[in-house]
Structure formats: structure tokens, C-alpha cells
């Protein structure tokens, strides 16, 4: 939290703290490059492609069959670990264990709370764009926090961050559902430019800095 600000930032899935990513601007190019490189290794298609190319090169050079089999098995295991969410859940649990729980947040008096909700993807169902299933747990948690603050007559804003890859942004789809839940437009701020978690943090941080008195 920026100590010069009276706003407390709350991530809907637990994290309560935020940092000003603009402070890293001298390293922006390096960070963007590293993020994009690392992002490739979380894409199952890229891992399969890498495995196929590696096996083809080894076969061409008449390398051992056991090595080729090992690479193929390793690629399959990586795809399974990344695809079923186990690895992500394990990492997220480790990163979030030091933050206070949602129930503790509700009982904590704060000034000018702001809830930041990160997009979780968009899916096409019968030619209609909908939020990914994982987004709804974020929405419900965010609304529970928002409702608790409003119930105590505290002003509260929800920053919705995410562009997505569909025609409608994640921020727009989130806001449509939040409206149905009773959250007014005046309490929602849409950030519809970010395409990944790094950009979520970057653009949301800019919005929060502008909100600071």
C-alpha cells in the first residue's frame, strides 16, 4: 500500500496489498520480455511443440531412444500439471498464505476501501460470450466484501481489471453481472486494457494512484 494514500486495496481472492508497479519503469522492457518468455512455458501447445522438435532433432542425430522417450513423458506430465490447475493452486496457496483471510477483512475497519477484481478469462457458449467459470468465485468474494462495507455505510469501489480476447472485455462482462447483483455504476471502475496478470497490476496501480487524495 502506498502510505501517502488513504485507500486500502483488497484483491478479491485474498491478497490485501498492492504495489506501485510504475516504480519499476526503468526495468519495464526487461520485465515484459521475461514475462512473455516464461509465459510460453505455461502454454501446453508450446510445450508439445518443443517436445516434438526436440525429439525430431535427437532422432535425426541418432541420439538414444530413452532420451527421446524421457522428453516426451516430461512434456506430457508438464501439460497435465499445468492443465489441471494443480500447479497453479499450489503456487497460489504458497503466495497467499501470509495474507489475511476474507473473514478477517470483513471485520477490519478501513478507510476508503477499494476491491480489485482480476479477470479470469472469457468463453464462448452458443455464440454468447460469458465469463470463465473461475471468474465467478472472484465475483462472489468481491461482492461479499463490497456488501459488508456498504452495510456499514462505508464507501467502497470495485476496480475490475481485464480485457480478455473476446469482443467484450472481461471488465465489461464483470460489470454487467455486478449490476445484476445490485452494484451501481458509480461504484465500479473498469480497466479494460490488460491482457495478463502483469498488466492487471500495472494498469490497476495507475488507477489507484489517481484515486489517491
Amino acid at each position: 500500500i502506498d502510505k501517502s494514500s488513504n485507500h486500502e486495496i483488497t484483491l478479491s481472492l485474498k491478497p490485501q496489498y498492492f504495489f506501485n508497479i510504475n516504480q519499476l519503469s526503468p526495468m519495464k522492457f526487461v520485465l515484459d520480455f521475461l514475462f512473455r518468455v516464461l509465459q510460453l512455458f505455461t502454454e501446453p501447445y508450446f510445450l508439445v511443440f518443443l517436445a516434438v522438435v526436440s525429439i525430431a532433432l535427437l532422432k535425426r542425430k541418432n541420439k538414444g531412444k530413452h532420451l527421446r522417450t524421457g522428453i516426451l513423458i516430461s512434456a506430457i506430465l508438464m501439460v497435465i500439471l499445468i492443465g489441471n490447475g494443480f500447479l497453479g493452486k499450489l503456487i497460489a496457496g504458497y503466495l497467499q498464505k501470509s495474507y489475511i483471510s476474507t473473514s478477517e477483512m470483513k471485520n477490519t475497519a478501513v478507510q476508503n476501501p477499494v476491491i480489485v477484481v482480476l479477470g479470469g478469462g472469457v468463453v464462448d457458449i452458443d455464440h454468447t460470450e460469458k465469463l470463465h467459470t473461475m471468474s465467478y468465485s472472484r465475483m462472489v468474494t468481491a461482492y461479499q466484501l463490497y456488501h459488508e462495507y456498504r452495510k456499514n455505510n462505508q464507501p467502497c469501489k470495485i476496480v475490475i481489471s481485464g480485457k480478455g480476447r473476446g469482443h467484450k472485455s472481461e471488465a465489461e462482462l464483470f460489470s454487467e453481472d455486478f449490476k445484476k447483483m445490485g452494484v451501481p455504476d458509480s461504484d465500479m471502475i473498469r480497466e479494460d486494457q490488460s491482457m495478463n496478470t502483469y498488466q492487471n497490476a500495472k494498469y490497476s496501480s495507475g488507477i489507484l494512484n489517481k484515486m489517491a487524495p
Side-chain angles (χ1 to χ4, degrees):
I1 298 172
D2 184 355
K3 296 184 183 297
S4 64
S5 168
N6 289 326
H7 290 86
E8 175 161 332
I9 299 93
T10 308
L11 290 183
S12 65
L13 289 182
K14 281 189 185 179
Q16 187 188 21
Y17 310 107
F18 214 86
F19 61 92
N20 183 0
I21 203 161
N22 292 320
Q23 294 172 349
L24 302 177
S25 54
M27 298 177 62
K28 179 181 180 300
F29 175 79
V30 176
L31 288 172
D32 278 340
F33 176 76
L34 289 175
F35 181 85
R36 293 182 186 282
V37 171
L38 290 173
Q39 190 180 31
L40 279 176
F41 289 91
T42 65
E43 295 289 344
Y45 293 121
F46 176 75
L47 290 174
V48 171
F49 170 76
L50 198 61
V52 170
V53 170
S54 299
I55 291 170
L57 289 173
L58 289 171
K59 189 173 182 180
R60 187 175 179 181
K61 293 182 179 181
N62 296 319
K63 296 293 182 180
K65 182 180 179 181
H66 293 301
L67 182 58
R68 298 199 298 269
T69 304
I71 291 174
L72 180 61
I73 293 174
S74 298
I76 292 172
L77 288 176
M78 284 296 292
V79 169
I80 292 173
L81 279 174
I82 293 169
N84 67 10
F86 172 77
L87 192 59
K89 186 175 181 180
L90 191 67
I91 295 171
Y94 172 76
L95 293 173
Q96 294 183 14
K97 67 180 181 181
S98 61
Y99 296 108
I100 65 174
S101 66
T102 302
S103 59
E104 290 173 313
M105 287 180 192
K106 294 177 183 178
N107 299 321
T108 303
V110 296
Q111 185 179 8
N112 300 322
V114 179
I115 303 168
V116 178
V117 185
L118 307 186
V122 176
V123 294
D124 190 298
I125 301 176
D126 296 328
H127 306 293
T128 303
E129 291 179 334
K130 299 283 187 182
L131 291 171
H132 192 280
T133 307
M134 66 181 291
S135 297
Y136 288 99
S137 62
R138 303 180 183 190
M139 183 184 299
V140 170
T141 304
Y143 180 76
Q144 288 174 337
L145 289 171
Y146 173 84
H147 179 70
E148 287 297 322
Y149 289 128
R150 297 301 294 146
K151 187 173 69 174
N152 296 323
N153 295 318
Q154 284 185 272
C156 181
K157 301 289 185 182
I158 301 177
V159 175
I160 309 165
S161 178
K163 179 179 181 180
R165 302 184 184 279
H167 293 94
K168 280 189 175 181
S169 68
E170 294 169 312
E172 185 179 352
L173 291 171
F174 261 110
S175 63
E176 288 175 358
D177 286 337
F178 274 128
K179 281 182 188 177
K180 294 174 184 176
M181 300 167 80
V183 180
D185 263 330
S186 57
D187 284 346
M188 289 187 285
I189 301 169
R190 299 167 187 79
E191 182 286 292
D192 56 3
Q193 298 301 312
S194 55
M195 296 293 292
N196 51 55
T197 308
Y198 171 77
Q199 291 180 355
N200 284 145
K202 175 183 175 181
Y203 298 141
S204 296
S205 177
I207 291 171
L208 295 167
N209 287 334
K210 290 178 182 178
M211 293 172 65

